[in-house]
Amino acid sequence: MKTPRALRLTALITACMPLLGAWCMDATDRRSILALAEAGKLEEAESAARTAGDALAVTLGDVLVLRGRLAAADSAYAAAIAAGHAPVRVARVAQAELMARRGDLTNALRAADRFVSEYESSRTGWAAEDHMAAGRAYVLLGRRDARLARQALAAFDAAWAADNTLLDARVRAGDLLLEKYNAPDAKSSYSDVLAVNDAHPGAMLGMARVQEFEGRGEAMTMVRKSLEANPALVSAHTMLARLHLEAEAYDSARVATDRALAIDSTAMDAWALRAAVAFFTGDSLTYRASRTAAEALHPRPADFFSILAESAVRHRRYADGVRYASQAAALDSLSVRALGVLGTNQLRTGAMTEGRATLERAFAIDPYNLWHKNTLDLLDQMNGFTTIERGRFRLVVSPEDAALMELYLLPMLEEAFDSLAPRYEWKPERPVRFEIFRRHADFSVRSVGLTGLGALGVSFGDVLAMDAPSAREPGSFNWGSTAWHELAHTFTLGSSGHAVPRWLSEGLSVLEERRARAGWGASASPEFLAAYKAGQLRPVSTLNDGFVRPRYAAEVQFSYYLASLVSEMLEQEFGAAVFPALMRGYREGLDTPEAFARATGVPIDSIDARFTRYMTSRFGAALAGIEAGERPGDVRGPFVEAMRTASGHLEAGRSAEAKRALEAAQAALPGVEPVNGPSWYLARIALESSDTTTALGHLARITNTHESALAPNQLEAELHEARGDDRALMMALERIIWTSPYDADVHVRLADAATRVGAHTIAVRERRAVLATGPADPLEARYQLARALFVAGETSAARREVLGILESAPGFEKAQALLLELRSPPGGVR
């Protein structure tokens, strides 16, 4: 059976034969040779091009470019242009591209400009490859005028329309669309190509880039498929290197860069990535050699330093990102790439004025850059934010949330700071900047420049950002634990010199959540245990992949919890001192095996086995009661069967039978409490017989395990309130506030309960919180605050509040009466 490529070639030869023209046979030979090159057979392609003689000089030049023999390629193009060998227009643009690669951008742009002038004046009758050459010229000119991207796309479309076998035209269109953040249309372009040739390496590589852009885990697989189709595809090797580098798999990244350079020693991306690997592994000799090679290829290698900057940022080394991007921008002050990386990471390191100015420079050059436009728009919006500076924190928040955040978040952050600083034996040198956004889209833009980020918070070191509670549905996340999590990153990143592996930093942040409050942080779920039992989670040695290359939707979430359990195991086996010891090792440049060996005294190879024993010890009984389904995260086994039985009984109103089945489900998963699991239904069954004690016991299993269990906390609060247990009521209401702080009634109830038990500081805070929520009766809310202040002994503050009330409403009798009390001699109400 013939492949699509063979069928196209046969059709082309058949169409050309009646013409018996030399040009037609040259075109056929050109396609045949380029097909060899597309299959990675570069030596064969070069040999065939040379055998064909001067008529295929352009084709020879194209193959020589792929092999990194740029001077020879330039000579071949020059010969073709001088002799007028087709496709001569392709040769002209290819020569301009070579000028740009060598750093002669002025002449490259001049040549490209002459070319597009011809194209715009008389494009009628141009061949498909000539249209594509025009698109390439527009792309080249787009380095200084971003508006020309549209003309480039139009030219690529014209090439495709003139010859729908010219698949590279669609691939180039897809590449340009993705460069402009238009992933859907880029994907459509690549799909057009794959519909004709499902093994087209360039289209598969493009699809891998789309998958990476969309945050999907299949990118690595697709890159490998493109290399199966074309083992000499240098851009695929460099993408593979970058993906390995992001996962901190340095040996694999180094191998991929070496393979790229063995094919094309002039590949700037490969030299930059090789330098990045050397930088992260402390190999100064290789770093210097890579930099020297880059400088030999280009007198001002801005892209080399831009790639280094981007690599540093992916490793959370934002200051290094600024340093390298500054070098790139100094080499090319008009490089949007360099300016964009620099400006974005100046903002991430808290240099807000400088970052904005840099991004404005980038946006002036490319006003179509969505990333930069979004960020600048957000900075405009943030001009109206409130900044609260207190102690070791600078809170930047929208005015609507400022009062609540000041009441709750700042004291909690101070508590977290005092907990984390001694644990990691490190402190930030300046106040930590914490930005809170009312819209998730704004937080997403602040984090990555685009909307759609799934995270709740992000840490850039001592600059943090997160969703405000209003950014999500009530009960969908715990904003207190999120803030604690991000601040923990400040300490692990800072104490390690930003060199701690991603998985360990995330695992420690989740572990620190669990230390902070009962129920905070991730907990075991049936789905997690099923995935673990089925071997669908990564071992410790490759746990980073679970964060950056998830194989299924839930793997990232599972990896957070898994990493926290590894951290917990490390502390149990080696003591709390293991963490600052690990951070010191990373800060001193040790790699993970070296850091672990020094901190624990055992080789890292033993950690996987130790963790297996730990999981068996902790979850052995629960693992026995569960089985994995066909897909990752699917659950089967005794627990599922018991829950299914209980569901049937509940639907039929058979509470006694449902209760027995639910208790069987609990027994099948000891120590594991799903948020909508058996305890929730058992609590409701207990309430049917007014057994509030049993109901509260079941509810506590949920609320002490799940940080965002809004409905169980609300029910628990109601039951404690009905029983008159004010202290237990206060605990439930506090938990509600950390998931839904905008309900004034919750704050009133908590203030009343606090007053009844004599917790006057809490009562005052809650009366202030009522005002912050915008109550229906603000005068009454202010009066209650004044009375709470009076009861707490803050007489001066109470008097100021009362006078403020009377200034607004002189006839407000309760305020008048309280003012009289305030004028009474001390010793009254306390």
Side-chain angles (χ1 to χ4, degrees), residues 61 111 180 186 235 269 347 351 374 491 516 570 585 604 661 663 666 745:
K180 301 302 180 183
S235 52
D269 286 13
L347 294 175
N374 286 343
F491 285 86
L570 289 171
I604 193 171
E663 289 170 343
Q666 276 186 334
D745 180 63

Side-chain angles (χ1 to χ4, degrees), residues 397-398 400-401 404-405 436-440 466-477 479 739-742:
V397 61
S398 62
E400 299 92 331
D401 281 324
L404 274 176
M405 296 300 106
I436 315 292
F437 296 93
R438 287 183 65 82
R439 294 176 62 249
H440 177 70
M466 63 172 277
D467 279 338
S470 57
R472 303 271 180 160
E473 288 296 317
S476 62
F477 86 111
W479 56 285
T739 60
S740 179
Y742 300 110

Side-chain angles (χ1 to χ4, degrees), residues 431-605:
V432 176
R433 178 184 173 96
F434 213 136
E435 301 171 3
I436 315 292
F437 296 93
R438 287 183 65 82
R439 294 176 62 249
H440 177 70
D442 293 337
F443 158 69
S444 182
V445 167
R446 179 63 170 105
S447 303
V448 298
L450 300 171
T451 59
L453 181 69
L456 298 168
V458 65
S459 172
F460 301 120
D462 57 9
V463 175
L464 314 175
M466 63 172 277
D467 279 338
S470 57
R472 303 271 180 160
E473 288 296 317
S476 62
F477 86 111
N478 186 303
W479 56 285
S481 70
T482 299
W484 199 293
H485 178 108
E486 300 308 333
L487 185 61
H489 281 307
T490 299
F491 285 86
T492 55
L493 289 172
S495 62
S496 69
H498 283 242
V500 60
R502 184 184 304 272
W503 72 264
L504 183 55
S505 186
E506 295 294 358
L508 287 171
S509 279
V510 176
L511 177 59
E512 296 298 349
E513 289 180 67
R514 287 205 292 274
R515 294 190 214 273
R517 302 281 191 278
W520 282 16
S523 58
S525 67
E527 294 78 13
F528 169 83
L529 293 176
Y532 176 81
K533 188 172 183 179
Q536 294 161 348
L537 300 178
R538 314 275 183 162
V540 177
S541 53
T542 60
L543 189 48
N544 270 337
D545 287 348
F547 292 93
V548 300
R549 287 202 295 271
R551 297 162 295 184
Y552 51 92
E555 187 172 15
V556 173
Q557 176 187 352
F558 291 163
S559 296
Y560 274 92
Y561 183 53
L562 183 68
S564 78
L565 293 176
V566 174
S567 302
E568 199 167 77
M569 180 271 294
L570 289 171
E571 186 173 43
Q572 287 185 11
E573 296 215 2
F574 303 106
V578 70
F579 297 137
L582 281 170
M583 300 306 116
R584 282 193 299 273
Y586 287 119
R587 186 173 64 245
E588 293 168 11
L590 301 183
D591 61 18
T592 292
E594 293 167 337
F596 267 75
R598 192 171 80 177
T600 67
V602 301
I604 193 171
D605 294 346

Side-chain angles (χ1 to χ4, degrees), residues 580-721:
L582 281 170
M583 300 306 116
R584 282 193 299 273
Y586 287 119
R587 186 173 64 245
E588 293 168 11
L590 301 183
D591 61 18
T592 292
E594 293 167 337
F596 267 75
R598 192 171 80 177
T600 67
V602 301
I604 193 171
D605 294 346
S606 70
I607 299 298
D608 282 329
R610 288 170 179 263
F611 184 65
T612 299
R613 291 195 296 271
Y614 168 83
M615 288 292 289
T616 301
S617 172
R618 177 163 179 176
F619 295 110
L623 288 168
I626 206 163
E627 298 291 342
E630 295 179 1
R631 297 175 300 177
D634 285 352
V635 183
R636 294 177 178 172
F639 170 78
V640 175
E641 293 169 6
M643 287 300 294
R644 186 178 296 118
T645 300
S647 178
H649 288 313
L650 287 170
E651 288 180 6
R654 297 187 293 268
S655 296
E657 292 86 342
K659 180 174 179 291
R660 286 193 292 272
L662 291 165
E663 289 170 343
Q666 276 186 334
L669 285 187
V672 179
E673 191 59 52
V675 67
N676 289 316
S679 291
W680 175 244
Y681 297 101
L682 285 168
R684 305 307 293 261
I685 291 172
L687 289 178
E688 291 176 3
S689 57
S690 300
D691 185 354
T692 56
T693 300
T694 299
L696 284 168
H698 288 302
L699 290 172
R701 290 167 62 107
I702 304 171
T703 59
N704 287 328
T705 304
H706 294 281
E707 60 181 25
S708 302
L710 182 57
N713 272 305
Q714 289 171 331
L715 180 56
E716 188 176 337
E718 291 175 12
L719 296 178
H720 286 309
E721 199 164 25

